[in-house]
Each structure stands twice: as structure tokens, then as C-alpha cells.
Amino acid sequence: MAYYFSEPSHTFGEYLLVPGYSSKECIPANVDLKTPLVKFQKGEQSAITINIPMTSAIMQAVSDDNMAIALAKEGGISFIYGSQSIEAEAAMVAKVKNYKSGFVASDSNIKPTTTLAEILALKEQTGHSTMAITDDGTPTGKLVGIVTSRDYRVTRMSKNTKVEEFMTPFSKLIYADADTTLKEANDLIWEHKLNMLPLVDKDQRLKYMVFRKDYSDNKTNENELIDAKKRYMVGAGINTRDYAERVPALIAAGADALCIDSSEGFSEWQKITLEYIHKNFGSQVKVGAGNVVDKEGFLFLAEAGADFIKVGIGGGSICITREQKGIGRGQATALIDVVAARDEYFEQTGIYIPVCSDGGIVHDYHMTLALAIGADFVMLGRYFSRFDESPTDKVKINGNYLKEYWGEGSNRARNWQRYDMGGDKKLSFEEGVDSYVPYAGSLKDNVAITLSKVRSTICNCGALNLKDFKEKAKITLVSSTSIVEGSSHDVILKDKFSHE
């Protein structure tokens, strides 16, 4: 007969943290959120340590080069989605590694014949009021002018007016050579009271734009995640089919870590992939694996050579694996089981393999609970998909702004490699949905709020870093009545009357 687990599986919403003693040093500003990304020997340091315990999911709707840069600025790392061509994924990795902090490639480009109506539509879509006009409308075309919101008055101009009639022409621009350093560029911006300085090459082709507002941003990104060459760090997703071609291309592009993207990781396919990578590229190439939900799955991937292991099946907001196939496990219970296996493995072997909790995060405090249970970091899809930096379109529906968000197992993504079990090269049925999520603004602002909550809770539990937090945390299972009690109740909220 089948094996039966004696306890039901639980998710994060069924647990609460019980406060512990907090000393006067326990203030959020003192909390260190650094955490290891890849495995290490006892007494040694992890080869990669991230500054905040947040990674973005290996999804088309979440992790591209823009997301990777934005998250690296805050101290986390993105794993660029692998359900695209090898060349396209490698190009995204290269963009992150070649990105010069403070030097922005133009992404709102127009031609001299672009009309005011088209400019206003582009501004609405991107939120950018400063746009470069190039001869061919490309990001690196010959710069012929700049237009900002100060160059036109919507109420007094025809929407059909071409931008060449009201732009600031190149002859009147203050610009600098493409080799100008960031310090020199910022000095010019302050000297000439500019909001933006374009950098062009000897042929007048646009290379970068340096904005005044980014000067203060650069000063405040104290947590940014950079490598030894001061380049932003970035991860990349791979699959168990074309790894022999994809891995070399991603390594050549500069990927700092790889991760096998699969809905279920307790598989010989993952073992074969891990063994190939470590045999051909050595231990310097770091590869995460998963996903698993129990001790057996963890031990299998640990012995196969995984550098970190992801936990979670079916808990994602757009995932319907449990509904379609009836497999999975409550995220909290799965994490408890795997973390215990990790700690036991560490005691026996002296090798610490970081665990990533992937899925099941609905509220910010769920991240804190995942870390308290023992996760070294979390991987987030829906959370990051809501931000400006995600690659999906922002749409307005019934007066509300939303962002598109779809699963890798949806018909839209058709990432058959993620769900591959050695059969035909196709997605036989859906394991994800196509949806919308409420638009939430910039990544920077939202991550700051989330981490403020995390740091505050860690202080409530009497800890100042994640290692101590795991050791000091006290967690209690709550009843359905306790969950109701934890929300506002027995009051009439003021916003009920705000529209009357």
C-alpha cells in the first residue's frame, strides 16, 4: 500500500512567530540580511553571498536583464528565464554584466517624424518623459535631438505635430564623449544644471544617457550585489535538454550562477545535467537544482552535486500542478522537512547546501516565516512581476493598472522543458495559468518596505542576522479562528464610507 504521512501538510499562512527577548541593540537598522547562495565546507565562506535573501523566479513574466539589474542594485539576484533561445538568454546575461552603473541605455527612442500623439502614448506606456530622437529611431542611432515634457504644451499644439519641430536639436545640446567616466558626467550635469547628459561616440551615435536623479540613487545603493570586477551579479535558468549547448554560452556571457528550472527535481535528468556541468566546467560553475518537497529529494540532489536546492511544488500563485496532477506538498511542511535534512547532511558531511523556498509567498510576512523555518533565501515570481522592472505590459482595466503575469506551464509560455519527463517535446497539458496582478510601482520602493518588515520581525524575535534568527525563532501553528483574529475584525473600516 502507499506510504501515508502522519501529519497534514501546512503552508505559511497557518503559522505565526512568537516574539522573543529583544535587547536594545535589536533595531532594524542593525539587522544583517546577508545569506549564502551556494554550498560551502564547514569553517569556510560561500563563494557567493547575496546581501538580501531574495531572488527572482526563472519566468518569462519576471526575470529579464532589466529585472536583474534592478534587483542586483538592492542586493539580490535574478535568474534570467531559460524558456527562450540560447542566444537571447546569453545576450540578457551579457547586458547585465556589461551594464555600467549610472550609464543608462536609451529605451524610449523615437524618430524625427514621430508625432506628439505618439510621444504621449509612449510616455504613458513607459513613464519616461525624456526621450532620445535618433535618425533611425534605434537606441544607438545618430542622435539628432532630445525631447522632454518642457518642450511641448499639449493644450496648445496639434497632436499631429512632428517632434523635429519642437525638440531640442543636437546643436543646442550639452553632451559628452562615450568614454566619459561617471564622475566626469555627474560633474557636467551639476555644472550645467542638466537633468540628463547624453554620451555619444565620434560618429554622434548615442551610447548612454546619464540622469541627475541617478546620482543620488548610486549613492544609496549600498547593498548592491557586485562581483570582483564591480559588475552586477546575475543568474540564469537552464533545462535538462539543451544544457550541453546552453551552459557554455551562459558561462561565456558571464553568468555568476545557474539553476535547473524544473517543476519536479527528484529526477535522473537533473543528476545527469549536474554531473555533466561539474565534469566539464568544474566546481567553479555553481548550479542550483530542484524543486523537491521532502528529505529524499534533497539528499538525491545533494549527492548529485547541487550547489543550492529549491523547495516547492504547486505553491506558486499561477501554478496548477497540484490541481492538474495531484502532486505537491504544503510549502511550510515541505520546507521544514528539507531544512531538517539539510542540517543533518551538514552535521554528517561538513557541507552546507543552502535551501531556497520557491512558491507559496502571499504576504510579506510569509518570507520572514520561510527564513525562520530555515530557508536561506526565497525565490519570488508574483511579487516581482508587479513592478515596473518586470518585462510584461502594464494595462489599465476598469480604471486599475495591472501587470500581465503567466506561468511557465501555461499555454502562453509553453515551457515544455520545465515539465519534461523524457517524452515528446511538447506541453501535453497546462500546469500554469495566464493572469494579471495589481501594478505596484518600482522594485526599489517595494523591496525597501518588505525588508523593513522582515528586519523588524527579526528584531522582535531577538536576532540581528539570519543565522541567529533561525536558531532563536519560535513558531506556532494557528487555528482558523486565530487567523481571523489576526486580521481587522469587529470594526467598520473607514474606507467603506470613502465613496459615499
Side-chain angles (χ1 to χ4, degrees), residues 189-226:
I189 286 173
W190 286 96
E191 179 184 346
H192 297 282
K193 299 180 180 179
L194 305 174
N195 285 322
M196 188 277 294
L197 177 74
L199 304 186
V200 298
D201 66 13
K202 57 183 176 57
D203 297 318
Q204 201 177 309
R205 300 183 74 83
L206 180 63
K207 291 299 181 182
Y208 300 106
M209 302 164 79
V210 180
F211 288 86
R212 173 187 287 264
K213 65 179 179 62
D214 288 339
Y215 176 80
S216 57
D217 287 348
N218 291 331
K219 292 295 183 183
T220 58
N221 291 333
E222 297 176 357
N223 263 340
E224 63 183 5
L225 188 66
I226 55 176

Side-chain angles (χ1 to χ4, degrees), residues 37 74-75 91 111 140 145 165 175 178 253 294 315 365 370 372 379 404 420 451:
L37 183 75
E74 302 309 312
K111 294 186 284 189
T140 57
E165 297 180 32
Y175 60 93
D294 63 3
Y365 83 88
M379 180 169 278
E404 294 180 313
D420 181 35
L451 294 182

Side-chain angles (χ1 to χ4, degrees), residues 263-296:
S263 65
E264 206 280 292
F266 196 171
S267 157
E268 186 177 4
W269 298 110
Q270 295 223 358
K271 180 181 180 182
I272 293 169
T273 303
L274 288 165
E275 289 177 344
Y276 166 85
I277 294 172
H278 289 314
K279 177 182 177 181
N280 289 275
F281 301 99
S283 60
Q284 294 302 308
V285 174
K286 307 301 182 184
V287 192
N291 288 17
V292 296
V293 292
D294 63 3
K295 176 180 180 178
E296 286 182 280

Side-chain angles (χ1 to χ4, degrees), residues 121-138:
L122 184 58
K123 181 182 177 183
E124 174 72 16
Q125 177 186 336
T126 65
H128 301 156
S129 59
T130 299
M131 300 178 191
I133 301 106
T134 57
D135 59 347
D136 57 4
T138 66

Side-chain angles (χ1 to χ4, degrees), residues 16-27:
L16 286 174
L17 284 157
V18 176
Y21 169 73
S22 301
S23 69
K24 63 181 181 181
E25 283 78 29
C26 278
I27 59 174

Side-chain angles (χ1 to χ4, degrees), residues 104-263:
V104 180
S106 178
D107 58 1
S108 293
N109 306 286
I110 54 181
K111 294 186 284 189
T113 54
T114 301
T115 65
L116 177 58
E118 292 170 322
I119 288 172
L120 295 174
L122 184 58
K123 181 182 177 183
E124 174 72 16
Q125 177 186 336
T126 65
H128 301 156
S129 59
T130 299
M131 300 178 191
I133 301 106
T134 57
D135 59 347
D136 57 4
T138 66
T140 57
K142 184 177 180 180
L143 183 64
V144 296
I146 295 290
V147 65
T148 73
S149 55
R150 295 195 305 270
D151 292 316
Y152 53 83
R153 294 183 69 178
V154 178
T155 57
R156 297 192 179 186
M157 293 172 61
S158 167
K159 297 288 181 64
N160 294 321
T161 307
K162 295 178 180 178
V163 70
E164 61 188 356
E165 297 180 32
F166 57 88
M167 69 183 183
T168 301
F170 183 78
S171 60
K172 293 185 178 180
L173 290 176
I174 295 172
Y175 60 93
D177 185 79
D179 295 329
T180 301
T181 66
L182 184 59
K183 182 181 185 305
E184 292 168 340
N186 282 318
D187 287 343
L188 285 170
I189 286 173
W190 286 96
E191 179 184 346
H192 297 282
K193 299 180 180 179
L194 305 174
N195 285 322
M196 188 277 294
L197 177 74
L199 304 186
V200 298
D201 66 13
K202 57 183 176 57
D203 297 318
Q204 201 177 309
R205 300 183 74 83
L206 180 63
K207 291 299 181 182
Y208 300 106
M209 302 164 79
V210 180
F211 288 86
R212 173 187 287 264
K213 65 179 179 62
D214 288 339
Y215 176 80
S216 57
D217 287 348
N218 291 331
K219 292 295 183 183
T220 58
N221 291 333
E222 297 176 357
N223 263 340
E224 63 183 5
L225 188 66
I226 55 176
D227 63 19
K229 297 180 180 178
K230 297 188 177 180
R231 302 174 301 178
Y232 287 130
M233 299 188 76
V234 60
I238 61 173
N239 61 67
T240 58
R241 281 290 185 120
D242 66 9
Y243 54 85
E245 297 79 34
R246 190 173 294 268
V247 170
L250 295 174
I251 293 172
D256 296 285
L258 305 174
C259 184
I260 301 172
D261 182 29
S262 174
S263 65

Side-chain angles (χ1 to χ4, degrees), residues 40 47 73 81 89 108 186 204 236 250 273 278 290 292 350 367 384 388 404 426 442 450 458 466 470 472 477:
F40 58 93
K73 286 181 177 180
Y81 69 93
E89 186 180 11
S108 293
N186 282 318
Q204 201 177 309
L250 295 174
T273 303
H278 289 314
V292 296
M367 298 184 207
F384 285 117
D388 289 317
E404 294 180 313
K426 65 178 183 178
S442 75
T450 296
I458 290 175
L466 292 180
K470 293 171 189 174
K472 292 184 177 182
L477 192 64

